Amino acid sequence: MAEDGEEKPRNFHEMELDDRILKAIAKLGWQTPTLIQERAIPLLLEGKDVLVRARTGSGKTAAFAIPVIQKILTIKQTAKHQEIKALILAPSRELCHQMCGVIKELTIKCSREVRCVDVAPPVELSVQKPLLVEQPDIVVGTPTRVLKHIKAGYMDLKKSMELLVIDEADLVFSFGYESEVRELMERLPSIYQAILASATLSEDVKNLKSLVLHNPVILKLEEPEIAPASQLSHYHLMAEEMDKATILYALLKLHLIRGKSIIFVNTVDKCYKIKLYLEQFGIPICVLNSELPAKIRCHSVNQFNQGIYDTIVASDEKALEQPGNPNDKNNSELQKSKRKKDKESGVSRGIDFQCVANVINFDFPLDVQSYVHRAGRTARGNNQGSVLSFVSIREKPLLEKVENHFKNDQDDVSIFKSYQFKLDEIESFKYRAKDAWRAVTRIAVREARLKEIKQEIFNCQKLKSYFEDNPTDLQVLRHDKALHTVKIQQHLSDVPEYIVPPTLKGIAGLGRKKRKRENYRTSQGSSSRFEAKKNNPLLSMDFEGFNSKKKKKKNNN
Ligand code: AMP
């Protein structure tokens, strides 16, 4: 107990974890457990069934992966046979892939002792059979794939399995896996330890709970829905569509955004509109939406995580599912998009975009939950982040809803700070932006959508054969290539000196990109001379901030 009577937070090395796990955690740079890890790991090591509700980005994957690995290492000290000991189910291929990645990182120092196989990829079952014959310690997969392997006789869990994890449990039923899960249960042993992890405690989760868990401990962490203000800053900027486009162009082109960014819009068409618009200025950007093949989405996120590109534009699932206003001209598109999306297509839910410094809401999210999900893409684990929302007059009520939702009853303070951007300083950007925005016609967008799907399906084939030969090389295909359905005018990719606002000369500039990226990396980890800006990655976009800094410098001289 701490002196003030409060229980002192437990550190990883106080959790009786195997040295090899502790070394892997150190290698990942995790200094302290997140709240959910601190609470869940000891309970799971004690052998309890646990239902965990934690916000996205809270570190919940490791909260159950660490005890699973620890238990397997312990079992193996005395085990006579190599057997599948743990089954981890997740509702999408992306999440399975991500989960396996986390387990591989956490078992880097005991990779011979603890092996994990992901059966989610949609290849012929027989292709995965040799992997299962070797009896990996952990199998990760969607309920459908796991059931198929069991039925095909490639895997038998009835006698060996001791641990069952269901991640993003609230999506498991809503993604239509109920009958598979029920069937699967009949093929599992009668006694095992089970863990359900979920962002919400919906009716579906309650149903799953009664199906899977025995006398569980329920960990409903009193965590805020979003990361605290010390970790996550929220800015808003009032602007209509054309001004939003101009500001985005200026921010990206002048490299005023530090680190990796996700731009959110509300429709798939808008994703392509933004991509085609920015392409004209030579700004590469990758699109992520539910129409693209799952394998490609996965690969895109991987490349983004590896820092191969810095900017992704995404239309999130919440927005796609929103029935919307029947008079809204976007509504018919929403309906169409809904029809086309595949069963596992959640874009912003559960997928771990790593080290995202900024979330930019080009379109303001349609409800509070969607804002929370988008904001949850940044400030993950113990990292810093910012959300910058562009807000049109029509979107203002949506902003107010979010503002009221998070207003503290006592101090009545808004989470949003107004973002200072002097639009008149980038007058010359306006003309270029207007031309480029208009050049992206509806036909160009439609062609781009089709072209990208074709291109990515072709990539899928290339991916398949390439990765068979080079399984570790993910860098061969890029998803941020230009689509060229709008005529590219070479001169637009340059930023002539005369259009750079005087306050930014010497600060903004091409060729700074690499340095900026490095700045972000250092700001996420060790101390550096950029440490002062660490708390606010978007600070570099504050024109007034620059002014005052420049003035100070002058005065000092
Ligand atoms: P999750 O909620 O499991 O998707 O994790 C969100 C992010 O937090 C991932 O990128 C993890 O790498 C990171 N993370 C998990 N645990 C920690 C920790 N103890 N310290 C710092 N980062 C962490």
Side-chain angles (χ1 to χ4, degrees):
M1 294 287 257
E3 267 174 35
D4 59 3
E6 276 194 14
E7 207 167 322
K8 207 176 152 211
R10 252 201 265 192
N11 227 321
F12 284 121
H13 64 267
E14 293 164 316
M15 291 179 176
E16 293 174 32
L17 296 171
D18 190 285
D19 258 3
R20 291 163 286 184
I21 301 178
L22 291 176
K23 280 185 186 152
I25 291 173
K27 194 159 185 271
L28 283 166
W30 299 351
Q31 284 164 5
T32 49
T34 62
L35 186 59
I36 186 73
Q37 291 164 358
E38 197 193 311
R39 297 282 306 278
I41 294 172
L43 284 171
L44 291 169
L45 289 176
E46 271 174 41
K48 299 240 165 54
D49 275 12
V50 176
L51 169 58
V52 179
R53 189 199 68 178
R55 77 170 160 77
T56 175
S58 58
K60 69 178 153 61
T61 315
F64 57 74
I66 291 172
V68 165
I69 297 165
Q70 176 62 52
K71 292 208 137 196
I72 289 172
L73 284 170
T74 311
I75 291 168
K76 290 193 101 166
Q77 286 174 356
T78 50
K80 293 202 175 71
H81 309 288
Q82 174 64 33
E83 287 174 321
I84 300 172
K85 289 288 170 203
L87 173 66
I88 303 183
L89 299 174
S92 74
R93 292 190 281 272
E94 284 102 327
L95 286 168
C96 291
H97 178 81
Q98 192 173 291
M99 179 93 58
C100 219
V102 173
I103 291 172
K104 294 229 155 99
E105 283 175 328
L106 287 168
T107 52
I108 192 116
K109 302 286 176 192
C110 52
S111 52
R112 286 182 191 200
E113 289 84 356
V114 184
R115 281 174 302 121
C116 177
V117 163
D118 174 13
V119 295
V123 293
E124 287 281 318
L125 289 186
S126 56
V127 173
Q128 290 168 342
K129 184 182 170 189
L131 300 173
L132 294 172
V133 167
E134 287 184 8
Q135 298 286 314
D137 304 277
I138 306 171
V139 171
V140 178
T142 58
T144 314
R145 290 292 291 182
V146 170
L147 190 63
K148 277 186 181 166
H149 274 294
I150 294 178
K151 283 183 171 171
Y154 298 158
M155 173 162 76
D156 182 6
L157 301 171
K158 196 88 188 167
K159 290 201 185 95
S160 68
M161 194 200 82
E162 295 191 24
L163 293 151
L164 171 70
V165 179
I166 305 186
D167 191 23
E168 299 293 345
D170 53 342
L171 296 185
V172 166
F173 274 11
S174 63
F175 275 29
Y177 290 119
E178 181 169 354
S179 63
E180 277 104 335
V181 172
R182 286 185 189 281
E183 221 181 318
L184 206 70
M185 290 299 137
E186 286 163 21
R187 293 160 193 265
L188 300 183
S190 49
I191 299 174
Y192 52 84
Q193 184 184 0
I195 305 153
L196 284 190
S198 173
T200 61
L201 290 186
S202 60
E203 261 324 290
D204 285 343
V205 178
K206 286 181 192 147
N207 290 338
L208 253 183
K209 181 183 142 213
S210 53
L211 194 66
V212 176
L213 301 174
H214 310 279
N215 292 328
V217 176
I218 300 176
L219 276 185
K220 263 197 273 177
L221 289 195
E222 287 312 317
E223 276 189 313
E225 289 174 284
I226 47 174
S230 56
Q231 202 187 339
L232 177 63
S233 313
H234 305 259
Y235 295 93
H236 82 284
L237 191 153
M238 293 304 295
E240 294 308 305
E241 186 100 326
M242 195 57 246
D243 287 343
K244 290 182 181 184
T246 309
I247 295 166
L248 183 67
Y249 157 44
L251 292 178
L252 291 172
K253 200 65 197 175
L254 293 170
H255 302 299
L256 297 175
I257 298 181
R258 179 127 30 97
K260 294 196 283 187
S261 304
I262 302 181
I263 301 167
F264 278 109
V265 290
N266 286 350
T267 63
V268 178
D269 266 4
K270 192 65 130 341
C271 277
Y272 287 96
K273 174 116 190 169
I274 298 278
K275 179 173 167 74
L276 293 174
Y277 164 70
L278 293 176
E279 252 170 47
Q280 295 174 74
F281 303 113
I283 301 171
I285 184 162
C286 162
V287 167
L288 197 66
N289 69 66
S290 49
E291 287 183 352
L292 297 170
K295 195 174 205 163
I296 293 298
R297 293 197 303 264
C298 232
H299 189 242
S300 305
V301 176
N302 264 329
Q303 290 201 331
F304 182 75
N305 287 344
Q306 288 175 10
I308 295 171
Y309 36 74
D310 286 342
T311 320
I312 271 188
V313 56
S315 58
D316 66 350
E317 201 57 14
K318 194 79 195 167
L320 291 173
E321 275 172 4
Q322 187 82 9
N325 175 347
N327 300 323
D328 186 340
K329 65 179 167 44
N330 291 331
N331 193 44
S332 57
E333 191 197 351
L334 297 180
Q335 299 297 335
K336 264 187 251 157
S337 303
K338 194 172 176 185
R339 239 180 291 136
K340 279 181 204 148
K341 75 181 177 145
D342 77 37
K343 189 172 168 184
E344 305 178 11
S345 61
V347 168
S348 75
R349 216 8 228 292
I351 295 181
D352 190 20
F353 297 94
Q354 285 161 10
C355 293
V356 176
N358 316 295
V359 163
I360 299 176
N361 288 321
F362 188 93
D363 291 331
F364 200 82
L366 299 176
D367 59 30
V368 176
Q369 271 319 304
S370 187
Y371 186 89
V372 169
H373 281 149
R374 290 182 186 188
R377 300 303 103 200
T378 181
R380 291 168 82 80
N382 293 328
N383 292 331
Q384 300 287 324
S386 298
V387 184
L388 171 64
S389 298
F390 295 162
V391 187
S392 67
I393 291 172
R394 227 176 101 228
E395 291 169 321
K396 207 164 170 231
L398 298 171
L399 171 87
E400 284 163 1
K401 259 195 195 158
V402 175
E403 197 165 39
N404 291 335
H405 181 84
F406 288 108
K407 239 178 206 167
N408 187 326
D409 287 342
Q410 282 139 34
D411 55 20
D412 203 35
V413 174
S414 167
I415 57 163
F416 291 103
K417 287 178 238 165
S418 172
Y419 186 70
Q420 304 297 323
F421 196 98
K422 292 184 179 162
L423 204 55
D424 49 354
E425 288 206 19
I426 53 162
E427 202 60 37
S428 318
F429 280 76
K430 261 189 186 172
Y431 298 117
R432 293 169 154 237
K434 213 173 195 174
D435 283 350
W437 190 252
R438 283 197 184 141
V440 189
T441 59
R442 287 173 70 169
I443 293 172
V445 166
R446 202 182 321 141
E447 279 176 5
R449 257 170 102 156
L450 272 173
K451 192 171 169 185
E452 174 140 282
I453 290 176
K454 276 191 205 153
Q455 193 169 301
E456 296 293 23
I457 286 171
F458 175 67
N459 277 350
C460 252
Q461 301 303 322
K462 269 207 273 179
L463 264 181
K464 200 173 154 196
S465 51
Y466 183 85
F467 290 131
E468 270 162 18
D469 299 334
N470 305 277
T472 52
D473 190 349
L474 278 167
Q475 306 200 359
V476 69
L477 290 170
R478 294 189 66 115
H479 305 282
D480 58 349
K481 277 188 192 149
L483 287 170
H484 294 302
T485 62
V486 172
K487 194 169 161 244
I488 302 285
Q489 302 175 60
Q490 274 317 322
H491 73 279
L492 285 182
S493 13
D494 302 324
V495 180
E497 186 78 7
Y498 66 87
I499 76 165
V500 177
T503 46
L504 286 180
K505 287 202 172 124
I507 297 167
L510 303 169
R512 292 175 53 82
K513 198 172 179 184
K514 200 168 161 233
R515 223 174 81 200
K516 296 241 171 223
R517 226 183 279 157
E518 279 160 8
N519 294 356
Y520 178 69
R521 266 193 220 126
T522 48
S523 81
Q524 292 297 311
S526 59
S527 65
S528 73
R529 67 198 173 98
F530 302 105
E531 192 79 4
K533 286 185 177 176
K534 179 173 143 183
N535 289 338
N536 185 355
L538 279 178
L539 200 66
S540 60
M541 301 201 298
D542 188 333
F543 278 17
E544 290 186 339
F546 281 131
N547 284 338
S548 56
K549 249 176 250 155
K550 283 195 112 187
K551 269 181 214 148
K552 249 190 215 163
K553 220 176 175 185
K554 263 190 188 166
N555 293 343
N556 289 345
N557 291 341

